[in-house]
Structures are given as C-alpha cells and as structure tokens.
Amino acid sequence: MNNPGNNPENKTGATPPTIGVFDSGFGGLTVLRALIQRLPRARFAFLGDTARLPYGSKSRRTIARYAAESAQFLVNEQDAEFLVIACNTASALALDAIQDAVPVPVLGVIEPGAEAAWAASRAGDVLVIATDATVQSHAYAAACRARGLRALEKACPLLVPLVEEGWTAHAVTAEVIRIYLEELNAEAAAQGMKPDTLVLGCTHYPLLRPLIERAVPAGMRVIDSAEAAAEAALRHFNGRAAPAAAPSAGQDAPPEPQLRCFATDSVEKFERLGSRFLNRPVGKVELVDLGG
Ligand code: DGL
C-alpha cells in the first residue's frame, strides 16, 4: 500500500485528493469519521444540507434535486474528485441523478450496508431501520435480496429530529427506539422471520448506537454502512497512486485532517454538535446558499 508519510503531498508529489461527503444533516459525520480514519491524508469537504433537512420525508423528485445541487457544490466549488453520499435516503432515491449531475465517481451507502449485513448475518434474516423515503424505495430489501438475504424494513421518522436536537443519550430517545424495535421484532416474528442482524439504514442512527444496542434482543448484530462505505472508498483510492494510508490497529486518525465543513443553515449548531459527533473539532463551518 502506498504510504505518503506525514506530508500532505505523497511520495510522487501528487496532491491529495479532495473527497466530497454529503448528507442532509449531521448524520453523515458518522461516515466522515470512518473515512478520516481510513484516508487520513485526503482532503475532505463535508456539506450538511441542514436548511432542507429532513430528506427522509420528501419525494424522490425533491430529494434528487437537493442531492444533485449538493453534489454539484462539492464538485464544482470545492473541487471534489470523488463523492461519498453519506445519506441513505439520497443513496436510495437519487444515486442515478447525482451520477448524472457530476463528472466524478460517486459512492452511495446502500450497497456497502447490504454487503455488511450479508457478512454479519448467519440466519439470512435481516431487519432494517431507515427513513420513510428509504423504506418506501425498498432499496435495502432489493440489495439484500440480491445477496440471498430476507429483509424487513421499518421507517423510524422520529429518530432524525432527535439526533439533530442532540438528544443522542436522552431517555425520550431511548423510549422511542424501544417502541420502534418492539414493533419491528413483532412484525418479524409474525412473518416467521428469525432476524439476527439490524441494519442502521440511516447515517443519523449510528449516533444512537449505544441506545439501539441496549434495545435489541441479545445476540443481534447491529451494523451501519459508514464503516463499509469507508472501506469501499479506501479500495477506490488504493486502485491508483493513492495518498492515503489505513491506520494500524488501535491507532486513531492523525490530529489534524484537512477538513472544511459547509452547512446550508444553522452553522453555530453545526459547530457545536458537529465536533461532538465527529469526535474532533469541525472548525469554522461555512454557510452556503444552494437556493430553495
Ligand atoms: N441521514 C439521512 C439518511 O441516511 C437522512 C436524514 C434525513 O431524513 O434527512 O437517510
């Protein structure tokens, strides 16, 4: 593997790539965190389309327009040469529209998530929690079916606003999660399923992982697509003279990744909560106007 050392330029003198990462809000920071760990010497531009969040309750047409505009901002104005769509909703409903809108490779999170579910499940029965729009698209069910898995999907629309409020350890959030999962497990039992894996099909949900792990039946594997998506991005950059190096076991990312964060609204809130969710300072968040 190519190791560029600590210099932001690698041994060949090539400039590190800029990777654009995009979500409707803070959830995508879970994917960014995993990317920084694996590609610590890349440059990152993260956009949270906080003015237009939530995407998960909107139509395919609207999600596709918002996502394409966000992608174009990252590519045209931040010179991103690779895009990670750190949003299951945009990945499920707008991946084609995004690919048509920008001339760079685009990685979504659904396929890596389904792949991780396939690797984790022994029973072949999988539960998926996601936004309304993702569930309606049945993108996870299709991606799981393609791998021989049976998937039961459930929309959990209250969870994104709770995360955006910063209530990631709140008793109210724990109770909401308990009710959603109880309903989902009852439905699975009624269908004769024996699920052993729960997919967090929204990038906001890993921020609730401790509460979710407490609420699932004993032995159920909880997986999110952030790690799997970051592995896929790592493979992409290993395929050429990549300036990235994976950290060795137990080692965290270097202290100062090259990161610029943008939001379409609420930059102060992004600065406050973003640093907590990313586990490192997000720095000064820049306000962007992408229109209505
Ligand atoms: N984080 C996004 C996802 O992964 C959805 C949040 C929203 O509804 O905007 O689906």
Side-chain angles (χ1 to χ4, degrees):
M1 183 186 303
N2 184 18
N3 185 338
N6 290 326
N7 193 310
E9 298 213 336
N10 69 11
K11 280 181 182 164
T12 64
T15 307
T18 298
I19 301 176
V21 184
F22 147 69
D23 183 33
S24 56
F26 299 122
L29 293 173
T30 59
V31 180
L32 179 62
R33 192 165 62 192
L35 285 165
I36 290 173
Q37 281 168 352
R38 285 166 182 78
L39 296 157
R41 290 167 185 94
R43 294 191 172 122
F44 292 95
F46 180 91
L47 171 65
D49 192 6
T50 44
R52 305 191 288 194
L53 171 134
Y55 281 18
S57 57
K58 297 192 170 69
S59 68
R60 179 185 297 270
R61 188 189 160 106
T62 300
I63 293 164
R65 178 164 67 85
Y66 289 175
E69 287 168 0
S70 300
Q72 283 168 337
F73 166 77
L74 289 169
V75 173
N76 299 343
E77 294 181 41
Q78 299 308 316
D79 297 326
E81 61 177 86
F82 183 75
L83 279 189
V84 179
I85 309 307
C87 173
N88 287 268
T89 308
S91 300
L93 290 107
L95 201 59
D96 289 353
I98 298 167
Q99 275 162 345
D100 289 348
V102 292
V104 303
V106 179
L107 175 70
V109 286
I110 302 283
E111 289 297 323
E115 193 64 23
W118 175 80
S121 178
R122 292 206 173 81
D125 282 348
V126 167
L127 303 177
V128 181
I129 54 174
T131 66
D132 250 323
T134 301
V135 168
Q136 293 305 322
S137 77
H138 297 299
Y140 265 108
C144 286
R145 203 179 312 117
R147 292 166 172 83
L149 297 173
R150 216 157 41 140
L152 181 65
E153 302 157 292
K154 182 172 178 62
C156 303
L158 293 176
L159 297 186
V160 167
L162 287 166
V163 169
E164 292 286 323
E165 197 52 39
W167 285 22
T168 52
H170 200 290
V172 166
T173 313
E175 182 60 5
V176 170
I177 289 169
R178 189 193 64 73
I179 294 168
Y180 278 144
L181 292 181
E182 197 174 275
E183 288 175 359
L184 182 56
N185 279 306
E187 175 65 23
Q191 293 193 18
M193 294 175 73
K194 294 202 178 349
D196 61 356
T197 301
L198 173 71
V199 178
L200 308 183
C202 170
T203 53
H204 281 68
Y205 299 173
L207 295 163
L208 304 172
R209 192 174 181 128
L211 297 185
I212 291 171
E213 280 184 337
R214 249 178 272 155
V216 294
M220 184 170 276
R221 304 276 303 270
V222 177
I223 61 169
D224 73 71
S225 47
E227 300 289 324
E231 285 296 327
L234 179 62
R235 281 195 296 279
H236 172 86
F237 285 103
N238 277 349
R240 47 180 250 204
S248 52
Q251 181 194 345
D252 211 335
E256 287 181 35
Q258 300 187 67
L259 169 64
R260 281 179 79 182
C261 287
F262 303 88
T264 52
D265 198 6
S266 325
V267 287
E268 297 80 13
K269 188 171 167 190
F270 193 117
E271 279 163 11
R272 188 162 32 87
L273 290 180
S275 304
R276 195 171 114 202
F277 293 159
L278 191 60
N279 239 354
R280 67 178 75 239
V282 294
K284 184 110 194 81
V285 177
E286 299 164 63
L287 186 64
V288 185
D289 185 358
L290 296 180

